[in-house]
């Protein structure tokens, strides 16, 4: 029982990070109807900026803020300089360009910083609190939950309570009609990319310190789990992304704890296949057509 409780809390803390990254994928999908396969590489670039700022200043929080700002600006640059010129007549065009962007970003990071793993500090201790001799959450885990929760609340308010969120959704689903109604479609797409890149940078800042360290390929494996989380929850649902992230985190924790770490990737793949066969739109997909 103690092992089960430990694995549950470990899975929830891991799943919160997957949820943050899945939220970034959902943001891009809602804004541009594109799955951004370069999201992981962009997040790593932001973490490298945080690493450089922290090394220069000695302040984690200055590095944290720099990562979010850089992610925001990088999202704007990618949309304006790259994705805006992609022919969207075929969904594969965006995928190919995004994969090419991954190679470019990882290559530049390797040239500038090298390919060795670099340690990244955390703002809070990672020693878990113990209750009845069972390790539960650490201060850093609580910070992760709080950060992801704040993002979920902010995005929910944005998309359900503001005119900007409605314009972003309208620009993605019906760009031609939106232009006729005076919606700045290009600006909404840019905003979507900027927000998604900032959320992805946050996810990178949360997960990299818990892994082996920072290197140009640090987010590759995480992207697979986060993409699965987004698909499981539904690419059009922020709440679904969070739920999917927690499901994937718990699945990986239980499988790794009871069957071994080598089986975990196959469990994620099996989950993805089951969801795609049973509910292709995700657990939180709507059967009704969206009108806005």
């Amino acid at each position: 029982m103690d092992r089960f409780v430990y694995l549950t809390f470990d899975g929830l803390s891991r799943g919160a990070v997957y949820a943050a990254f899945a939220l970034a994928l959902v943001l891009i999908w809602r804004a541009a109807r594109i799955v951004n396969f370069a999201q992981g590489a962009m997040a790593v670039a932001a973490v490298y900026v945080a690493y450089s700022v922290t090394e220069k200043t000695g302040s984690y929080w200055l590095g944290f803020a720099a990562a979010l700002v850089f992610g925001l600006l990088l999202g704007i640059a990618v949309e304006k300089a790259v994705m805006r010129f992609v022919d969207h007549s075929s969904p594969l065009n965006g995928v190919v360009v995004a994969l090419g962007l991954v190679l470019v970003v990882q290559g530049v990071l390797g040239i500038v910083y090298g390919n060795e793993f670099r340690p990244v500090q955390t703002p809070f201790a990672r020693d878990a609190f113990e209750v009845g001799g069972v390790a539960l959450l650490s201060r850093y885990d609580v910070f992760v939950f709080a950060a992801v929760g704040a993002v979920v609340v902010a995005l929910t308010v944005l998309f359900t309570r503001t005119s900007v969120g409605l314009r972003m959704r309208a620009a993605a689903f019906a760009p031609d009609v939106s232009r006729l109604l005076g919606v700045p479609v290009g600006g909404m797409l840019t905003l979507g990319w900027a927000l998604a890149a900032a959320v992805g940078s946050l996810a990178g800042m949360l997960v990299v310190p818990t892994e082996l360290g920072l290197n140009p390929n640090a987010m590759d494996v995480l992207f697979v789990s986060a993409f699965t989380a987004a698909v499981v929850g539904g690419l059009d649902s922020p709440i679904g992304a969070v739920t999917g992230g927690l499901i994937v985190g718990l699945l990986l924790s239980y499988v790794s704890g009871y069957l071994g770490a080598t089986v975990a990737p196959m469990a994620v793949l099996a989950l993805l296949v089951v969801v795609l066969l049973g509910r292709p739109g995700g657990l939180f997909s709507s059967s009704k057509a969206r009108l806005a």
Side-chain angles (χ1 to χ4, degrees):
M1 185 61 184
D2 290 351
R3 183 176 182 81
F4 176 79
V5 173
Y6 168 77
L7 291 175
T8 298
F9 279 92
D10 178 68
L12 290 174
S13 61
R14 187 187 306 185
V17 177
Y18 298 150
F21 204 81
L23 279 171
L25 297 176
V26 167
L27 271 173
I28 288 293
W29 180 257
R30 289 175 72 102
R33 315 314 287 176
I34 293 174
V35 177
N36 181 21
F37 286 92
Q39 195 74 65
M42 293 167 62
V44 171
V47 179
Y48 268 110
V49 170
Y51 175 83
S52 298
V53 172
T54 300
E55 286 288 297
K56 294 291 185 181
T57 65
S59 171
Y60 171 87
W61 294 112
L62 282 178
F64 187 87
L68 299 187
V69 172
F70 177 81
L72 197 75
L73 297 176
L74 181 59
I76 293 173
V78 168
E79 194 281 325
K80 285 184 173 294
V82 180
M83 290 301 178
R84 183 166 293 190
F85 301 99
V86 175
D87 180 8
H88 296 293
S89 59
S90 170
L92 287 178
N93 294 338
V95 172
V96 172
V97 171
L99 292 175
L101 187 60
V102 171
L103 299 179
V104 171
V105 172
Q106 290 181 343
V108 171
L109 292 176
I111 292 172
V112 175
Y113 291 97
N115 293 309
E116 68 273 12
F117 285 89
R118 298 169 182 264
V120 179
Q121 62 176 296
T122 60
F124 303 102
R126 295 189 60 207
D127 298 328
F129 297 109
E130 290 191 4
V131 177
V134 180
L136 301 179
L137 298 175
S138 66
R139 290 181 177 86
Y140 185 70
D141 291 331
V142 174
F143 168 66
V144 170
F145 280 117
V148 175
V151 170
V152 172
V153 171
L155 293 180
T156 300
V157 172
L158 173 66
F159 284 114
T160 62
R161 295 290 186 268
T162 68
S163 59
V164 173
L166 179 61
R167 292 191 187 102
M168 288 177 64
R169 292 162 57 194
F173 281 94
D176 294 333
V177 176
S178 299
R179 289 188 182 94
L180 292 175
L181 294 175
V183 176
V185 174
M188 293 299 102
L189 291 177
T190 302
L191 178 60
W193 277 87
L195 291 176
V199 174
S201 300
L202 171 65
M205 289 296 297
L206 295 177
V207 72
V208 168
T210 68
E211 301 296 327
L212 295 176
L214 178 61
N215 83 320
N217 303 98
M219 297 286 282
D220 289 354
V221 175
L222 174 69
F223 179 85
V224 176
S225 298
F227 176 71
T228 301
V231 172
V232 167
L235 278 169
D236 199 41
S237 172
I239 299 300
V242 175
T243 304
L246 295 178
I247 291 174
V248 171
L250 288 170
L251 176 66
L252 286 173
S253 182
Y254 291 145
V255 172
S256 299
Y258 290 115
L259 300 178
T262 57
V263 186
M266 291 184 287
V268 172
L269 178 61
L271 173 64
L272 182 61
V273 171
V274 169
V275 172
L276 288 176
L277 290 177
R279 195 171 177 83
L283 299 179
F284 285 78
S285 62
S286 174
S287 57
K288 296 181 180 179
R290 190 181 294 273
L291 301 177

